[in-house]
Every structure is written in C-alpha cells, then in structure tokens.
Amino acid sequence: MIGNTVTLVGNLTDAPSIRFLDNGSSVANFNLAVTERVFDKSSNEWKDGDTVFVRCGVWKSAGAENVAESLPKGSRVIVTGKLRQHNYTTDNGENRSVLNLEVEEIGVSLRFAVAKPVKATRAAQTPAPSSDPWSMPTSAAAGAERSS
C-alpha cells in the first residue's frame, strides 16, 4: 500500500515551540515556509514561486527536544513525515479542516549552511547550550581534534 509520506525543504518561520504533556511526552511545533523555484522563460532566470506554509509537529520519539534546542528561526531544514488532517468545529459552528505534517525525520539543509552535528546525550550529561547554534561543546570539540 502506498503511504502518505512526504519530504519538504523549507525555512522555519519562527523558532520551534515545545510543550510537555501530562504523560511526559513532548512535542515541538513550527511552521515551515516552502517556496518553489520556477524558471521564467521571458527573463531567462530562476525566480521564487508561490510559498506554502506547513504546520509541523515533532514528537519526543522523533527528537522534539533536539529540534527545539537546535533550530532557530530561519533555519533551512529537510523534513520527512506523514500528512495528518484534523477536523474541528469553530465556536460559530463552522466545520474546518487543517493539514499538518507529523515529522518523522528532520535535518538541517547544508545547501547554504555548515553544521557540526553533536550526538545528543542523556539530559543529566547535556552541556549548557551555546549562543551559537552550530558550535560544538568543548568536550566534543576536543574529542574531534584527537581523532583527526
């Protein structure tokens, strides 16, 4: 059977917000702006096409805390996940539907950026966050220098 798995590349319109549920689960939510590039034959150049905004959710099992700690507003990411439709009724009695992407995998795009991944450790061993989202903790940097 064919699934509804999609892969999108776009930019975060804001930093992910994280919330913790009563059962201990966490979810990070963000909006992704996906803009297609189109070739304009009249000017013989590439231009930005329409932008689509997609609401995305990352659950604990897919790295919600890592996403919230790692990705600032504007980050260009590659996300893979399943489209989920949620139906609801407004206070005025109108039926509405919204389409969200339940993220299974996410990573930064290296097309316009450089990243130095650091394997996440248990919360008790996590170093203090740096103001530079791409920096490596000093212990990881020292280990990388030794292994070179």
Side-chain angles (χ1 to χ4, degrees):
M1 179 176 180
I2 298 175
N4 70 354
T5 299
V6 297
T7 299
L8 299 173
V9 178
N11 296 76
L12 274 64
T13 62
D14 209 348
S17 63
I18 191 162
R19 63 186 170 105
F20 296 90
L21 307 178
D22 292 337
N23 66 4
S25 293
S26 58
V27 61
N29 293 299
F30 58 90
N31 285 314
L32 188 68
V34 180
T35 305
E36 76 175 308
R37 297 285 289 170
V38 293
F39 188 75
D40 183 354
K41 291 181 182 180
S42 63
S43 66
N44 202 31
E45 61 185 12
W46 289 94
K47 295 185 177 182
D48 286 341
D50 294 332
T51 300
V52 174
F53 296 93
V54 180
R55 185 75 175 150
C56 300
V58 183
W59 290 91
K60 182 177 185 172
S61 61
E65 288 91 352
N66 295 341
V67 166
E69 291 178 24
S70 303
L71 299 174
K73 175 182 179 177
S75 297
R76 187 163 182 85
V77 296
I78 304 165
V79 295
T80 301
K82 301 218 181 280
L83 292 172
R84 301 285 185 219
Q85 181 174 326
H86 300 282
N87 301 314
Y88 64 97
T89 304
T90 66
D91 292 339
N92 297 336
E94 300 171 329
N95 292 327
R96 299 277 173 95
S97 178
V98 65
L99 197 60
N100 294 324
L101 180 65
E102 188 176 302
V103 176
E104 295 172 346
E105 291 285 341
I106 184 169
V108 294
S109 170
L110 299 180
R111 187 172 190 177
F112 304 112
V114 175
K116 296 181 182 185
V118 176
K119 184 175 174 98
T121 58
R122 295 185 187 269
Q125 300 171 353
T126 302
S130 167
S131 60
D132 179 4
W134 304 111
S135 69
M136 291 174 53
T138 47
S139 61
E145 290 172 5
R146 277 188 241 118
S147 63
S148 297

